[in-house]
Amino acid sequence: MALPVLPSSSNFLAVALVINRSRDGPRFVFHYPPHVADPQGLCVKSERGDDVDDDDDTILNHISSFEGNISSVQHAAELAHWNHDDHLVTESGTQIVPWEHVAGFPTKDLENILTPARAYHKRLFQVSLDPLYCVSYPIYVPENGVWRKKKRQQRRETTSSKKEDDAAPSADTDAAAKSDGRGVSDGDVLEGRDPAKAGKSVDEAEDKKSSMTMFNLVFFLKPKQHEVKDLVDIMFVHIIKKINKAYKYCQQRSDFVWKESKRILALKDKGREDKRKMSSLWEEILSTSTLAASMQDIYEAVSQNRIAALQLETAEGMVTHSVQIPIPFHVPDLPHDREGDQCGLWLTSANSFTPDDEIEEPGYLDKNFALLLLADEKKITSELQSDPDGTTVSMVEFVRHCKPTLSFYQVGQQSSNVLTPAQVRKYAQHFIYWRRAIAIPPLHARDMYIVNPNCDMRKLPQASARWARQFPLLPTLPNFLAELSVAPRPYKSHCPSKAHRPVYMAMLAWLMRGGWVTQLCTFAYVVVWPEIIYEVEYALEAEDIAKAKRAQGSGRKPPGAENDLVSPSSVTTMSDVAAAGFGSGFLPLVDSTSDLASSAATLADLSLTYSQASSHRPQLSSPSPSDLSAASPLSPRRPGLDLLSRTTSADSSGAAQPQSTPAEQAAEKARLERIADKAARELAERATAHARKAVPEQTAHPSINNARHLAGMVPHIILNAKKATGKESLYLSAIGRRLRDRGPSTPVNGQEDKRKTGHGSTNSGTLRAGGPGHGHSGTAKDIKDNWDDRVANMWPRFWNYFNGRCALERIALQEDMKRKEVWNMLTAMSEYLMCVRHW
């Protein structure tokens, strides 16, 4: 999985504000940074080797055409030594202002280009000035020409005042309303209301009217050719659209954008008259205008991939808004470019190999993930309490209970049901989005952790110093990482004693937070051994032969009914009889099945040909089919003869179908007899060959069964047991029967003495789970039978995780079972599992 294309100082050049006025037209208000390099010069240097022609200097030609007579009078020497900070006066007396040229383009031309029509209101607006891309989200004034929206209280007062005015009898007013169609005019309202209220309403109406009809915050991008769409999309969705909406909110509340624009334009006009340096003027603008300061924060934060926190000081108070581009905090595979942005990220497949159908389940994320805070708990709590709102108390409670060893589901239980599962998910998503935490599988002392192969060793000296300050009495960071790299083993084996385990779990959380370690997980597939494959195929073949025999027997007619015609609805067709020889279709058992199928197809074709040919033959007087059947010397009826009688009956059912001659019917019966005899012979041969095969024999360990009849067969691996169909589902069922009916020689956990006592240092959980530990008492055989039944009952539930994507360490969390019990059951199933380990 590749990281999204992120903005940087190389592909994000500047941000600018353009407004449009009803009388004076568009105006280029402000841009940041002050000096924006010419993208054409950068493009020529960086992409000269990418099939860029020497004569392809269109941008320079555009610049010269834009500048008009200014460029014709200035000398190249003067422009070469211009620092783009002072004002430049040419020999002809023309003054060149440094802030009136952005990225090599005059602002007078840019302000016209970056003022789209109303059709682009609240839509993506993109202009390509190769290699420059101007992307924005224009905001237009509403159709009524008023930015500010009426408050609910004002609307109620206006409605009540209108009702009072309408209740007052006035014939002139009613006539004006009917003739004009707009209701009561302003003069009539002023006459009918109190003079003070009327004057106040006129002042409010004048204040609402603004000469600014549009503002457009434009982002200047210079992406690579293959990154244009990705960069534009991610900037538009996460940054451009949200910031313009925040400006629109402030403009509707207090005319913020227009007032700040007038202030900035006034400072620029004064600086032009005073020939002030651009650096000095920009410092003053940034210190006096919160709009300009917010544009500075946007550029500096977004170009460095940080969260941009805007503070807009409006007339009605401070408005704060934050935007960012969310980036993944993990990668599933080692990146090819170890020097890129992906170096140092946490390497794991826990978040990437999650099936889509399981993500939609409500409890999946709650049980499989925990929250690891990236900052100190006290710091996050103080930040929440500094800006209190309705959710502050519950969020503080969430932070207090959040531990990297507890899943979201356990956090909700630890809070004594103060936090609902929906609140836990909502707050976790909030902290993850704003880069205050990451979602990880819950840390456990029995899991295995290794050094992250994607860790950034260039940060090891600084990390070692922080490690020493936080854990001064413990091994140094290089030594501890070296110890983890020796051999994968459970993390608790690194702890000197059980009393040190809390400290060592805090060390593990610190390492996970910095991307220094990752969990080594176990993944499994179901492996089907040749013994089970042979057993299933043998059973299928026996079932197919039995079906074929039953179908052949059902084709014989009962005694006394030989002279009657068989109706088409009462007897199966020959194709059904032939197809019954190969049953469910799981296995191509014998080559004779193709012969049966071809015979059935030939029969159908001949019947159709005979019917078509007989329709063109003149009608002949021939005996009826019943008379022919009675005169036939063939006493035992066969399936082929029944089919012929049915075919003849079907042909004679139509009024226009003529009857065949006795010779033709006799020949057809003879041919079908031969086909039926051949099918019966082949079925007998199949039955004989099947009887000669070795009968499947269940052994205690099918993985080491080297019987002669299994030679040449290879094991079969089921890639996704949850979606197994056909023969694979039969394999899974056969394995489940073996787990339930294991022989007496098969130990429960490889230890006969522990099966008798139910105690042991390593595998005692198996017996306690299925025997004395759960209230069962009796002999060792009873304990073993009970345990085998439990393992067999859990087999259909566990095989959902045997797909190579779900870590076996998550089964205990997902099934809400004890960890030791799950691993004991997996050990009992281990002969039918192929396990791999990776991150």
Side-chain angles (χ1 to χ4, degrees):
M1 181 188 66
L3 286 176
V5 180
L6 299 177
S8 61
S9 57
S10 60
N11 56 19
F12 180 25
L13 300 185
V15 57
L17 177 66
V18 179
I19 64 172
N20 190 19
R21 298 164 296 179
S22 57
R23 296 181 180 179
D24 301 332
R27 189 69 185 272
F28 197 95
V29 179
F30 184 73
H31 68 275
Y32 190 88
H35 305 290
V36 183
D38 184 3
Q40 178 63 22
L42 298 176
C43 180
V44 170
K45 292 180 181 179
S46 61
E47 300 181 2
R48 178 62 63 183
D50 299 337
D51 298 334
V52 178
D53 299 332
D54 296 337
D55 298 333
D56 193 11
D57 296 331
T58 56
I59 298 298
L60 295 179
N61 297 332
H62 284 305
I63 295 174
S64 60
S65 62
F66 286 153
E67 294 179 359
N69 57 357
I70 297 178
S71 61
S72 62
V73 296
Q74 59 191 359
H75 296 285
E78 296 178 353
L79 292 177
H81 295 87
W82 186 31
N83 58 5
H84 296 277
D85 192 24
D86 296 324
H87 293 247
L88 181 63
V89 180
T90 62
E91 295 179 355
S92 61
T94 304
Q95 179 184 359
I96 300 177
V97 183
W99 56 80
E100 292 183 354
H101 290 79
V102 177
F105 295 91
T107 56
K108 291 184 179 180
D109 299 306
L110 288 176
E111 64 190 16
N112 292 321
I113 296 174
L114 301 178
T115 305
R118 179 177 283 273
Y120 288 94
H121 171 58
K122 297 175 68 174
R123 293 186 178 182
L124 173 63
F125 177 70
Q126 178 178 339
V127 177
S128 176
L129 303 174
D130 193 22
L132 196 65
Y133 288 85
C134 302
V135 187
S136 64
Y137 184 77
I139 302 294
Y140 265 85
V141 69
E143 295 291 344
N144 58 3
V146 179
W147 282 101
R148 179 177 298 212
K149 290 185 177 180
K150 294 182 180 180
K151 296 182 180 179
R152 294 182 178 179
Q153 184 177 0
Q154 294 177 353
R155 293 179 180 177
R156 293 175 183 175
E157 293 176 357
T158 305
T159 304
S160 61
S161 62
K162 284 184 179 181
K163 290 181 179 179
E164 294 176 359
D165 295 339
D166 294 340
S170 176
D172 298 338
T173 301
D174 295 340
K178 292 179 182 179
S179 61
D180 192 25
R182 294 179 293 103
V184 183
S185 63
D186 294 339
D188 296 331
V189 173
L190 292 178
E191 291 176 359
R193 293 184 183 177
D194 184 81
K197 292 183 178 179
K200 184 178 180 180
S201 63
V202 172
D203 294 340
E204 289 180 355
E206 291 178 355
D207 292 340
K208 291 177 183 178
K209 293 180 181 179
S210 175
S211 61
M212 186 183 70
T213 60
M214 187 273 303
F215 69 87
N216 191 16
L217 188 67
V218 185
F219 288 72
F220 291 82
L221 307 177
K222 196 185 80 66
K224 298 179 181 179
Q225 292 182 358
H226 64 281
E227 297 178 349
V228 174
K229 185 180 184 303
D230 296 336
L231 182 61
V232 170
D233 290 345
I234 198 170
M235 286 287 292
F236 178 76
V237 172
H238 297 285
I239 303 295
I240 301 175
K241 190 175 181 179
K242 293 183 178 180
I243 291 177
N244 278 279
K245 285 185 176 181
Y247 285 171
K248 176 189 175 184
Y249 173 78
C250 297
Q251 174 66 20
Q252 290 176 341
R253 291 185 63 188
S254 59
D255 212 13
F256 170 75
V257 177
W258 172 235
K259 291 179 180 178
E260 292 292 321
S261 299
K262 289 191 294 185
R263 182 181 303 175
I264 295 173
L265 291 174
L267 291 174
K268 290 173 65 177
D269 292 341
K270 185 178 180 181
R272 179 188 178 91
E273 295 176 359
D274 300 340
K275 295 184 178 180
R276 192 172 177 182
K277 287 187 175 183
M278 187 177 183
S279 57
S280 176
L281 176 62
W282 247 238
E283 290 179 1
E284 182 180 357
I285 292 176
L286 293 173
S287 61
T288 57
S289 173
T290 58
L291 177 62
S294 66
M295 294 173 62
Q296 179 187 17
D297 295 338
I298 292 169
Y299 175 79
E300 293 180 351
V302 173
S303 61
Q304 299 178 14
N305 194 23
R306 293 186 286 106
I307 299 176
L310 309 182
Q311 295 183 349
L312 307 176
E313 187 176 353
T314 64
E316 297 185 3
M318 183 70 69
V319 176
T320 59
H321 188 67
S322 299
V323 294
Q324 63 143 343
I325 298 178
I327 60 173
F329 53 86
H330 64 91
V331 289
D333 298 315
L334 281 173
H336 298 288
D337 184 13
R338 294 299 308 279
E339 302 297 330
D341 297 333
Q342 301 185 26
C343 183
L345 294 179
W346 178 40
L347 186 64
T348 181
S349 60
N351 299 19
S352 303
F353 283 0
T354 304
D356 297 336
D357 53 350
E358 294 183 354
I359 289 181
E360 297 177 358
E361 298 179 6
Y364 182 84
L365 297 177
D366 296 346
K367 295 181 179 180
N368 285 273
F369 290 95
L371 196 70
L372 177 62
L373 300 175
L374 297 180
D376 186 53
E377 178 182 339
K378 296 181 179 178
K379 181 180 179 181
I380 295 178
T381 303
S382 62
E383 290 179 356
L384 293 173
Q385 294 176 347
S386 62
D387 188 15
D389 56 12
T391 60
T392 301
V393 177
S394 57
M395 292 185 75
V396 170
E397 184 75 8
F398 172 76
V399 172
R400 188 171 65 86
H401 287 94
C402 242
K403 306 297 179 188
T405 56
L406 300 178
S407 63
F408 297 156
Y409 175 75
Q410 294 171 334
V411 169
Q413 291 182 332
Q414 290 284 339
S415 62
S416 301
N417 296 327
V418 175
L419 299 172
T420 62
Q423 284 181 319
V424 173
R425 288 192 296 268
K426 179 181 177 181
Y427 296 156
Q429 183 180 5
H430 175 80
F431 284 111
I432 293 172
Y433 180 81
W434 293 110
R435 307 183 188 183
R436 293 293 186 270
I438 59 175
I440 63 171
L443 302 180
H444 200 279
R446 293 183 180 178
D447 288 335
M448 297 183 186
Y449 298 91
I450 59 174
V451 177
N452 184 10
N454 195 39
C455 64
D456 192 358
M457 287 298 176
R458 295 171 297 183
K459 301 179 181 179
L460 184 60
Q462 297 84 353
S464 300
R466 295 193 302 269
W467 172 278
R469 288 194 299 268
Q470 190 157 358
F471 308 105
L473 302 179
L474 296 173
T476 61
L477 180 60
N479 293 341
F480 192 70
L481 293 178
E483 185 179 353
L484 290 175
S485 302
V486 172
R489 60 183 186 272
Y491 183 74
K492 66 177 183 179
S493 62
H494 299 281
C495 304
S497 64
K498 197 170 184 178
H500 291 80
R501 187 169 296 181
V503 180
Y504 270 72
M505 293 303 294
M507 295 165 55
L508 179 61
W510 192 94
L511 294 172
M512 291 286 293
R513 191 178 293 115
W516 293 103
V517 298
T518 187
Q519 183 180 357
L520 187 64
C521 300
T522 308
F523 304 87
Y525 299 93
V526 176
V527 56
V528 185
W529 299 107
E531 178 183 322
I532 302 175
I533 297 176
Y534 181 83
E535 176 185 340
V536 172
E537 291 186 354
Y538 187 90
L540 286 176
E541 187 176 0
E543 182 182 357
D544 292 344
I545 293 175
K547 285 183 179 180
K549 288 183 178 180
R550 288 194 301 268
Q552 186 179 17
S554 63
R556 300 182 181 274
K557 298 183 64 177
E562 285 84 356
N563 298 330
D564 298 334
L565 287 176
V566 184
S567 65
S569 60
S570 62
V571 182
T572 58
T573 62
M574 183 63 189
S575 59
D576 297 335
V577 176
F582 26 101
S584 59
F586 285 120
L587 292 172
L589 299 172
V590 187
D591 295 339
S592 62
T593 57
S594 61
D595 299 335
L596 290 174
S598 61
S599 300
T602 305
L603 175 61
D605 295 339
L606 288 175
S607 300
L608 180 60
T609 305
Y610 171 74
S611 300
Q612 294 175 353
S614 61
S615 62
H616 299 285
R617 188 177 301 146
Q619 296 185 0
L620 300 175
S621 59
S622 59
S624 63
S626 59
D627 297 338
L628 179 62
S629 178
S632 176
L634 303 175
S635 56
R637 298 295 298 264
R638 302 197 180 186
L641 302 180
D642 297 336
L643 179 61
L644 178 60
S645 300
R646 184 171 63 259
T647 306
T648 308
S649 175
D651 293 340
S652 62
S653 61
Q657 295 292 339
Q659 299 295 333
S660 59
T661 62
E664 290 176 339
Q665 291 186 0
E668 187 67 19
K669 285 183 179 181
R671 191 183 70 86
L672 294 178
E673 261 190 348
R674 291 193 298 271
I675 294 177
D677 291 339
K678 181 180 179 182
R681 270 195 319 272
E682 291 175 349
L683 183 59
E685 291 175 0
R686 289 180 57 197
T688 304
H690 177 74
R692 292 174 180 174
K693 289 185 178 181
V695 179
E697 182 180 357
Q698 179 176 338
T699 61
H701 300 285
S703 58
I704 57 176
N705 188 356
N706 298 324
R708 182 177 301 177
H709 63 278
L710 302 179
M713 300 181 65
V714 295
H716 176 74
I717 297 176
I718 302 177
L719 298 180
N720 192 348
K722 185 177 182 180
K723 299 181 179 180
T725 57
K727 197 185 298 184
E728 289 185 346
S729 62
L730 299 178
Y731 293 157
L732 294 174
S733 301
I735 294 175
R737 291 192 299 269
R738 286 171 174 267
L739 292 174
R740 189 182 303 275
D741 302 331
R742 286 186 295 186
S745 61
T746 305
V748 176
N749 207 9
Q751 301 279 345
E752 290 291 341
D753 54 341
K754 292 177 182 178
R755 189 171 67 243
K756 294 178 182 179
T757 60
H759 298 282
S761 59
T762 305
N763 299 318
S764 59
T766 300
L767 302 174
R768 289 196 297 270
H774 281 253
H776 298 283
S777 61
T779 63
K781 183 179 183 303
D782 296 336
I783 296 175
K784 175 189 173 302
D785 293 341
N786 181 65
W787 172 250
D788 291 344
D789 291 340
R790 294 196 61 204
V791 173
N793 293 334
M794 294 302 296
W795 171 251
R797 295 174 59 181
F798 276 24
W799 78 42
N800 296 326
Y801 305 97
F802 302 150
N803 54 11
R805 298 182 301 175
C806 299
L808 302 185
E809 288 80 3
R810 314 282 183 266
I811 298 180
L813 296 172
Q814 190 66 21
E815 298 294 337
D816 199 11
M817 298 172 60
K818 290 185 178 181
R819 190 182 185 90
K820 184 180 292 186
E821 182 181 2
V822 170
W823 282 107
N824 287 331
M825 287 189 175
L826 291 175
T827 303
M829 305 173 185
S830 60
E831 187 157 6
Y832 308 99
L833 300 179
M834 185 184 69
C835 298
V836 293
R837 282 181 175 175
H838 58 82
W839 51 80

